[in-house]
Amino acid sequence: MLTIHHVSKQTGISVRTLRYYEEIGLLLPIAKTEGGHRIYDENELKTLQQIVFLKTLGFKLKEIQTLINNSWEWEASLDHQLAFVAEEQKKLQQMKNAILGLKNASSIEGGLTESLIQKYIKLSSQERDKKQAFRQQIFAAAEMDLFQKLPNLNRNDPSSLEWIGLLGQLKQLRKESPEADSVQFIIKRMMEKTEVEYKGNDAFLEKMWTIRRSPHKSEQIGLYPLEEEFLHFIEQAFHIYESKKQASGKSQP
């Protein structure tokens, strides 16, 4: 026999919670002493363990009460709870993706601003099915596989993070000349990554750049919006890089 204070100390459940369980009829003491102290025995402790366990599974107290009273289908209840947990995991993943996306967009823009938040809200509000339908109209099946490999704001894989970092660095240098060494160094790294990740898929890359240069098409397929001035700066820097590379190749014996 244990008093309510001993049960609380042994289980870590507060006295206030135990009294509330009694109030709603979930866990009743076996008796009370003449002084009004609640007394629990081994059976009540087992019931309390079941309550704690079912709470960790996400069941509500009313549901737990029904389960403990053996008036509910356990199998069906567990299936229902499993479906609930899966749905919650989906919501949490969506929240995680949104937070990652905002953090990565902030890396590109050089900080979190109201303009960035509005831009990201617009990007996030697009219907997933509609974006996917536009992509399937534009890309062949093999190209869709390549599209999935593109850096994504909502991912934190090493490749995406490096692309985002490079783009952010480049944006910080957009007031520099496209010929500047600092700019060309980033362009060189971008070209190296492109060669490794998209080798032999020049047609796809050209198509992606054409889409990227069109604000409307970029929005349709869900690309993060970049200013036309910045895209022009990138294009100039790439042309300079290619020209220097070709010139260097011709000068070699």
Side-chain angles (χ1 to χ4, degrees):
M1 296 290 186
L2 295 172
T3 66
I4 191 171
H5 292 285
H6 284 108
V7 172
S8 175
K9 186 175 181 180
Q10 185 170 320
T11 63
I13 308 298
S14 70
V15 170
R16 182 178 178 181
T17 298
L18 291 170
R19 285 173 177 164
Y20 178 68
Y21 287 171
E22 179 186 357
E23 182 182 328
I24 64 175
L26 183 59
L27 180 70
L28 300 174
I30 192 173
K32 288 185 180 180
T33 65
E34 292 182 0
H37 297 290
R38 294 164 176 81
I39 301 296
Y40 298 85
D41 68 6
E42 186 176 344
N43 289 328
E44 276 67 50
L45 286 178
K46 287 180 179 177
T47 300
L48 183 57
Q49 289 175 337
Q50 290 180 1
I51 293 169
V52 173
F53 175 67
L54 289 169
K55 280 189 70 178
T56 64
L57 297 183
F59 285 102
K60 297 175 183 177
L61 291 180
K62 286 185 178 180
E63 295 171 333
I64 293 173
Q65 190 168 26
T66 309
L67 286 167
I68 289 175
N69 291 335
N70 295 319
S71 57
W72 203 357
E73 289 286 340
W74 271 85
E75 195 70 32
S77 299
L78 292 175
D79 287 340
H80 172 78
Q81 197 64 10
L82 193 60
F84 170 77
V85 170
E87 184 62 28
E88 289 301 301
Q89 285 179 325
K90 182 180 176 181
K91 290 177 183 177
L92 287 172
Q93 186 61 49
Q94 290 172 344
M95 290 171 60
K96 179 182 177 181
N97 290 344
I99 293 169
L100 276 173
L102 198 54
K103 280 176 60 66
N104 289 331
S106 176
S107 297
I108 292 174
E109 302 294 344
L112 200 60
T113 63
E114 184 178 347
S115 173
L116 165 59
I117 293 173
Q118 291 302 320
K119 190 186 295 187
Y120 190 75
I121 289 174
K122 185 178 180 181
L123 181 67
S124 301
S125 63
Q126 291 175 279
E127 295 180 22
R128 183 187 300 269
D129 292 342
K130 190 174 289 187
K131 286 188 291 187
Q132 187 66 10
F134 280 126
R135 292 168 186 172
Q136 289 174 343
Q137 289 176 14
I138 296 171
F139 301 111
E143 291 176 325
M144 283 296 291
D145 291 337
L146 292 169
F147 185 87
Q148 297 304 322
K149 289 175 58 179
L150 291 172
N152 190 317
L153 280 181
N154 296 332
R155 295 200 307 254
N156 61 352
D157 58 281
S159 180
S160 288
L161 291 178
E162 185 176 2
W163 276 112
I164 290 165
L166 291 169
L167 199 59
Q169 292 175 55
L170 204 55
K171 194 157 194 179
Q172 296 303 309
L173 296 169
R174 64 189 182 279
K175 299 301 182 184
E176 301 284 336
S177 167
E179 295 187 64
D181 290 343
S182 53
V183 174
Q184 288 299 305
F185 178 81
I186 296 171
I187 295 296
K188 179 176 182 293
R189 178 57 189 151
M190 285 182 165
M191 291 298 289
E192 289 171 349
K193 281 182 66 61
T194 300
E195 178 66 19
V196 171
E197 296 174 11
Y198 305 100
K199 187 175 183 179
N201 292 288
D202 293 345
F204 170 76
L205 294 173
E206 288 176 12
K207 182 185 286 189
M208 279 304 307
W209 184 247
T210 301
I211 293 170
R212 171 52 88 182
R213 289 299 308 271
S214 167
H216 178 63
K217 288 184 177 179
S218 290
E219 181 179 337
Q220 281 184 317
I221 66 172
L223 296 180
Y224 180 76
L226 296 173
E227 298 83 359
E228 186 176 349
E229 181 184 355
F230 181 47
L231 290 171
H232 180 64
F233 173 77
I234 294 174
E235 192 169 40
Q236 282 184 305
F238 270 109
H239 285 324
I240 291 168
Y241 175 83
E242 289 292 344
S243 297
K244 288 184 176 180
K245 187 177 179 181
Q246 290 177 6
S248 175
K250 289 178 181 179
S251 66
Q252 291 180 0

